[in-house]
PDB file of all heavy atoms in Angstrom:
ATOM      1  N   ALA A 235     -18.629   8.798  12.001  1.00 76.00           N
ATOM      2  CA  ALA A 235     -18.967   8.419  10.613  1.00 76.00           C
ATOM      3  C   ALA A 235     -18.190   9.225   9.596  1.00 76.00           C
ATOM      4  O   ALA A 235     -18.112   8.829   8.418  1.00 76.00           O
ATOM      5  CB  ALA A 235     -20.458   8.616  10.385  1.00 76.00           C
ATOM      6  N   ALA A 236     -17.597  10.352  10.006  1.00 78.00           N
ATOM      7  CA  ALA A 236     -16.870  11.186   9.054  1.00 78.00           C
ATOM      8  C   ALA A 236     -15.695  10.442   8.411  1.00 78.00           C
ATOM      9  O   ALA A 236     -15.315  10.728   7.277  1.00 78.00           O
ATOM     10  CB  ALA A 236     -16.354  12.463   9.759  1.00 78.00           C
ATOM     11  N   GLY A 237     -15.129   9.493   9.151  1.00 68.00           N
ATOM     12  CA  GLY A 237     -14.176   8.561   8.513  1.00 68.00           C
ATOM     13  C   GLY A 237     -12.713   8.906   8.671  1.00 68.00           C
ATOM     14  O   GLY A 237     -11.863   8.134   8.181  1.00 68.00           O
ATOM     15  N   THR A 238     -12.348  10.009   9.300  1.00 73.00           N
ATOM     16  CA  THR A 238     -10.924  10.333   9.468  1.00 73.00           C
ATOM     17  C   THR A 238     -10.624  10.546  10.959  1.00 73.00           C
ATOM     18  O   THR A 238     -11.505  10.926  11.731  1.00 73.00           O
ATOM     19  CB  THR A 238     -10.531  11.614   8.705  1.00 73.00           C
ATOM     20  OG1 THR A 238     -11.144  12.763   9.315  1.00 73.00           O
ATOM     21  CG2 THR A 238     -10.942  11.533   7.240  1.00 73.00           C
ATOM     22  N   GLY A 239      -9.367  10.339  11.319  1.00 73.00           N
ATOM     23  CA  GLY A 239      -8.953  10.523  12.714  1.00 73.00           C
ATOM     24  C   GLY A 239      -9.122  11.953  13.173  1.00 73.00           C
ATOM     25  O   GLY A 239      -9.374  12.204  14.345  1.00 73.00           O
ATOM     26  N   GLN A 240      -8.909  12.909  12.272  1.00 78.00           N
ATOM     27  CA  GLN A 240      -9.070  14.303  12.624  1.00 78.00           C
ATOM     28  C   GLN A 240     -10.468  14.608  13.167  1.00 78.00           C
ATOM     29  O   GLN A 240     -10.641  15.434  14.054  1.00 78.00           O
ATOM     30  CB  GLN A 240      -8.797  15.203  11.418  1.00 78.00           C
ATOM     31  CG  GLN A 240      -7.330  15.256  11.001  1.00 78.00           C
ATOM     32  CD  GLN A 240      -7.120  16.108   9.776  1.00 78.00           C
ATOM     33  OE1 GLN A 240      -7.838  15.954   8.771  1.00 78.00           O
ATOM     34  NE2 GLN A 240      -6.157  16.998   9.809  1.00 78.00           N
ATOM     35  N   PHE A 241     -11.477  13.953  12.609  1.00 82.00           N
ATOM     36  CA  PHE A 241     -12.847  14.138  13.088  1.00 82.00           C
ATOM     37  C   PHE A 241     -13.132  13.245  14.288  1.00 82.00           C
ATOM     38  O   PHE A 241     -13.740  13.700  15.261  1.00 82.00           O
ATOM     39  CB  PHE A 241     -13.840  13.821  11.962  1.00 82.00           C
ATOM     40  CG  PHE A 241     -14.080  14.996  11.047  1.00 82.00           C
ATOM     41  CD1 PHE A 241     -13.152  15.349  10.106  1.00 82.00           C
ATOM     42  CD2 PHE A 241     -15.263  15.709  11.110  1.00 82.00           C
ATOM     43  CE1 PHE A 241     -13.358  16.423   9.254  1.00 82.00           C
ATOM     44  CE2 PHE A 241     -15.501  16.787  10.280  1.00 82.00           C
ATOM     45  CZ  PHE A 241     -14.545  17.154   9.348  1.00 82.00           C
ATOM     46  N   ARG A 242     -12.730  11.985  14.223  1.00 81.00           N
ATOM     47  CA  ARG A 242     -13.088  11.033  15.287  1.00 81.00           C
ATOM     48  C   ARG A 242     -12.545  11.451  16.654  1.00 81.00           C
ATOM     49  O   ARG A 242     -13.179  11.175  17.666  1.00 81.00           O
ATOM     50  CB  ARG A 242     -12.619   9.618  14.928  1.00 81.00           C
ATOM     51  CG  ARG A 242     -13.436   8.957  13.848  1.00 81.00           C
ATOM     52  CD  ARG A 242     -13.161   7.464  13.833  1.00 81.00           C
ATOM     53  NE  ARG A 242     -11.752   7.211  13.595  1.00 81.00           N
ATOM     54  CZ  ARG A 242     -11.190   7.109  12.389  1.00 81.00           C
ATOM     55  NH1 ARG A 242     -11.954   7.244  11.314  1.00 81.00           N
ATOM     56  NH2 ARG A 242      -9.915   6.874  12.241  1.00 81.00           N
ATOM     57  N   ARG A 243     -11.383  12.061  16.667  1.00 83.00           N
ATOM     58  CA  ARG A 243     -10.796  12.392  17.963  1.00 83.00           C
ATOM     59  C   ARG A 243     -11.572  13.480  18.712  1.00 83.00           C
ATOM     60  O   ARG A 243     -11.350  13.703  19.900  1.00 83.00           O
ATOM     61  CB  ARG A 243      -9.351  12.823  17.789  1.00 83.00           C
ATOM     62  CG  ARG A 243      -9.111  14.139  17.097  1.00 83.00           C
ATOM     63  CD  ARG A 243      -7.642  14.548  17.184  1.00 83.00           C
ATOM     64  NE  ARG A 243      -6.832  13.545  16.564  1.00 83.00           N
ATOM     65  CZ  ARG A 243      -6.338  13.628  15.317  1.00 83.00           C
ATOM     66  NH1 ARG A 243      -6.626  14.697  14.576  1.00 83.00           N
ATOM     67  NH2 ARG A 243      -5.584  12.696  14.797  1.00 83.00           N
ATOM     68  N   HIS A 244     -12.505  14.145  18.012  1.00 86.00           N
ATOM     69  CA  HIS A 244     -13.310  15.181  18.678  1.00 86.00           C
ATOM     70  C   HIS A 244     -14.649  14.668  19.170  1.00 86.00           C
ATOM     71  O   HIS A 244     -15.428  15.416  19.775  1.00 86.00           O
ATOM     72  CB  HIS A 244     -13.560  16.353  17.713  1.00 86.00           C
ATOM     73  CG  HIS A 244     -12.348  17.171  17.388  1.00 86.00           C
ATOM     74  ND1 HIS A 244     -11.862  18.123  18.265  1.00 86.00           N
ATOM     75  CD2 HIS A 244     -11.501  17.149  16.337  1.00 86.00           C
ATOM     76  CE1 HIS A 244     -10.762  18.674  17.734  1.00 86.00           C
ATOM     77  NE2 HIS A 244     -10.533  18.119  16.570  1.00 86.00           N
ATOM     78  N   ALA A 245     -14.946  13.390  18.918  1.00 86.00           N
ATOM     79  CA  ALA A 245     -16.279  12.849  19.208  1.00 86.00           C
ATOM     80  C   ALA A 245     -16.624  12.942  20.695  1.00 86.00           C
ATOM     81  O   ALA A 245     -17.680  13.499  21.064  1.00 86.00           O
ATOM     82  CB  ALA A 245     -16.359  11.401  18.738  1.00 86.00           C
ATOM     83  N   GLU A 246     -15.769  12.413  21.537  1.00 87.00           N
ATOM     84  CA  GLU A 246     -16.080  12.377  22.989  1.00 87.00           C
ATOM     85  C   GLU A 246     -16.148  13.793  23.584  1.00 87.00           C
ATOM     86  O   GLU A 246     -17.055  14.099  24.360  1.00 87.00           O
ATOM     87  CB  GLU A 246     -15.061  11.535  23.733  1.00 87.00           C
ATOM     88  CG  GLU A 246     -15.087  10.057  23.366  1.00 87.00           C
ATOM     89  CD  GLU A 246     -14.126   9.233  24.197  1.00 87.00           C
ATOM     90  OE1 GLU A 246     -13.500   9.840  25.117  1.00 87.00           O
ATOM     91  OE2 GLU A 246     -13.981   8.017  23.930  1.00 87.00           O
ATOM     92  N   GLU A 247     -15.205  14.635  23.192  1.00 89.00           N
ATOM     93  CA  GLU A 247     -15.152  15.978  23.745  1.00 89.00           C
ATOM     94  C   GLU A 247     -16.400  16.792  23.316  1.00 89.00           C
ATOM     95  O   GLU A 247     -17.005  17.481  24.161  1.00 89.00           O
ATOM     96  CB  GLU A 247     -13.901  16.696  23.259  1.00 89.00           C
ATOM     97  CG  GLU A 247     -13.764  18.110  23.745  1.00 89.00           C
ATOM     98  CD  GLU A 247     -12.516  18.803  23.225  1.00 89.00           C
ATOM     99  OE1 GLU A 247     -11.732  18.125  22.518  1.00 89.00           O
ATOM    100  OE2 GLU A 247     -12.366  20.001  23.488  1.00 89.00           O
ATOM    101  N   ALA A 248     -16.803  16.646  22.051  1.00 89.00           N
ATOM    102  CA  ALA A 248     -17.975  17.356  21.589  1.00 89.00           C
ATOM    103  C   ALA A 248     -19.247  16.847  22.270  1.00 89.00           C
ATOM    104  O   ALA A 248     -20.128  17.634  22.649  1.00 89.00           O
ATOM    105  CB  ALA A 248     -18.106  17.194  20.068  1.00 89.00           C
ATOM    106  N   GLU A 249     -19.332  15.539  22.450  1.00 89.00           N
ATOM    107  CA  GLU A 249     -20.517  14.948  23.094  1.00 89.00           C
ATOM    108  C   GLU A 249     -20.605  15.459  24.529  1.00 89.00           C
ATOM    109  O   GLU A 249     -21.706  15.856  24.997  1.00 89.00           O
ATOM    110  CB  GLU A 249     -20.391  13.430  23.098  1.00 89.00           C
ATOM    111  CG  GLU A 249     -21.598  12.741  23.742  1.00 89.00           C
ATOM    112  CD  GLU A 249     -21.501  11.226  23.668  1.00 89.00           C
ATOM    113  OE1 GLU A 249     -20.403  10.708  23.368  1.00 89.00           O
ATOM    114  OE2 GLU A 249     -22.502  10.543  23.946  1.00 89.00           O
ATOM    115  N   ALA A 250     -19.495  15.505  25.254  1.00 91.00           N
ATOM    116  CA  ALA A 250     -19.508  15.960  26.625  1.00 91.00           C
ATOM    117  C   ALA A 250     -19.892  17.460  26.709  1.00 91.00           C
ATOM    118  O   ALA A 250     -20.650  17.866  27.575  1.00 91.00           O
ATOM    119  CB  ALA A 250     -18.151  15.739  27.268  1.00 91.00           C
ATOM    120  N   SER A 251     -19.378  18.254  25.771  1.00 90.00           N
ATOM    121  CA  SER A 251     -19.673  19.693  25.781  1.00 90.00           C
ATOM    122  C   SER A 251     -21.139  19.966  25.544  1.00 90.00           C
ATOM    123  O   SER A 251     -21.750  20.829  26.223  1.00 90.00           O
ATOM    124  CB  SER A 251     -18.838  20.396  24.685  1.00 90.00           C
ATOM    125  OG  SER A 251     -17.456  20.301  24.976  1.00 90.00           O
TER     126      SER A 251
END
Side-chain angles (χ1 to χ4, degrees):
T238 68
Q240 289 178 311
F241 276 75
R242 285 196 302 273
R243 70 171 59 99
H244 290 281
E246 293 184 6
E247 180 182 354
E249 182 178 12
S251 296

